Amino acid sequence: MLTLSAIAATILFVATPAVSQDRALGNPNWIPGQTPSTLTLYEQSGLQGNSVLIVESEGNLSGRTASLRASGGSWEVCDQHNFRGECRVVDGWALSLNRDIGLRNIRSVRPVAPDDTSRN
């Protein structure tokens, strides 16, 4: 028989979001009580291969990115470090960077505030 504390611990474990709230605090768009905006970069097209989960601005990414998925908000992605070069605002997914958003790779990313239209 499960005790009440064991049931509560199980519910807490199941209800914990996949992204740590401590890490999400670095995202300027994150509001306590809401799911943080995340960006997942994949090394292969079709959201396949090794991936990295990003929850805050990153100005100096390395490695190959061939596809991506944005959840909980829009992200600006750029093909050069420090948000330079060709940049696009994405939400949802891009199964092929080159085909879907016209970039060959991603070197910097940052979340876009919902009311920020200057980056479109």
Side-chain angles (χ1 to χ4, degrees), residues 55-67:
V55 297
E56 59 189 16
S57 295
E58 296 284 346
N60 191 19
L61 295 171
S62 62
R64 175 170 157 63
T65 300
S67 59

Side-chain angles (χ1 to χ4, degrees), residues 59 77-87 107-108 110:
V77 298
C78 302
D79 66 356
Q80 293 184 19
H81 295 127
N82 299 314
F83 314 103
R84 295 181 186 200
E86 293 289 324
C87 298
R107 294 292 179 224
S108 54
R110 59 184 162 193

Side-chain angles (χ1 to χ4, degrees), residues 2-87:
L2 289 175
T3 66
L4 185 55
S5 61
I7 294 171
T10 302
I11 292 170
L12 179 61
F13 177 76
V14 172
T16 302
V19 176
S20 163
Q21 289 184 352
D22 292 336
R23 289 198 64 207
L25 291 175
N27 182 334
N29 293 333
W30 185 75
I31 299 169
Q34 290 186 342
T35 302
S37 177
T38 62
L39 180 68
T40 307
L41 304 177
Y42 297 87
E43 71 176 357
Q44 297 176 15
S45 61
L47 309 177
Q48 300 293 314
N50 291 330
S51 65
V52 60
L53 177 68
I54 299 174
V55 297
E56 59 189 16
S57 295
E58 296 284 346
N60 191 19
L61 295 171
S62 62
R64 175 170 157 63
T65 300
S67 59
L68 63 81
R69 181 180 63 206
S71 300
S74 298
W75 287 74
E76 180 181 41
V77 298
C78 302
D79 66 356
Q80 293 184 19
H81 295 127
N82 299 314
F83 314 103
R84 295 181 186 200
E86 293 289 324
C87 298

